[in-house]
Amino acid sequence: QVQLVESGGGLVQAGGSLRLSCAASGRIFRPYGMGWFRQAPGEEREFVAGIKWSSLSTYYADSVKGRFTISRHNSENTVYLQMNSLKFEDTAVYYCAGTSRYIRLERDEYDYWGQGTQVTVSS
């Protein structure tokens, strides 16, 4: 089994920045892609960003384009989400996800999910 562990969440003022990390461990995992999703209270889980592991192609939700950047470690199965210019509406639990299968990265069809990390933006 593959475990994904997120870190880096916390409380930040509007306009501030946070960097989330997600490390994969467990059995050998060769990702096709990894992504970040988020879920606010009372809302459905939504796609935030995704990255194809080999090509480094990145994908973003319109709501975060220009503010968030997804990247990966060169030699480890770790993905990052740099979040700048944070807004109150970015408040949510952020989940990391990974897959070895060919999927549309903006869809929540991933094989592995982290436990989530809380991001709270104060206005």
Side-chain angles (χ1 to χ4, degrees), residues 66-82:
R67 300 188 298 121
F68 290 11
T69 303
I70 188 171
S71 61
R72 68 165 181 86
H73 193 284
N74 285 337
S75 58
E76 298 177 1
N77 285 348
T78 300
V79 66
Y80 307 99
L81 186 68
Q82 177 66 43

Side-chain angles (χ1 to χ4, degrees), residues 7-79:
S7 60
L11 173 65
V12 64
Q13 287 189 331
S17 299
L18 280 176
R19 188 194 196 205
L20 305 183
S21 300
C22 172
S25 64
R27 69 171 180 84
I28 294 175
F29 176 45
R30 295 186 177 88
Y32 164 76
M34 294 188 75
W36 289 94
F37 288 73
R38 67 186 181 187
Q39 186 168 23
E43 302 289 333
E44 302 247 330
R45 185 167 62 188
E46 65 174 1
F47 170 76
V48 176
I51 184 168
K52 289 186 179 179
W53 217 245
S54 294
S55 69
L56 300 181
S57 297
T58 55
Y59 306 86
Y60 297 94
D62 288 343
S63 59
V64 307
K65 277 181 184 175
R67 300 188 298 121
F68 290 11
T69 303
I70 188 171
S71 61
R72 68 165 181 86
H73 193 284
N74 285 337
S75 58
E76 298 177 1
N77 285 348
T78 300
V79 66

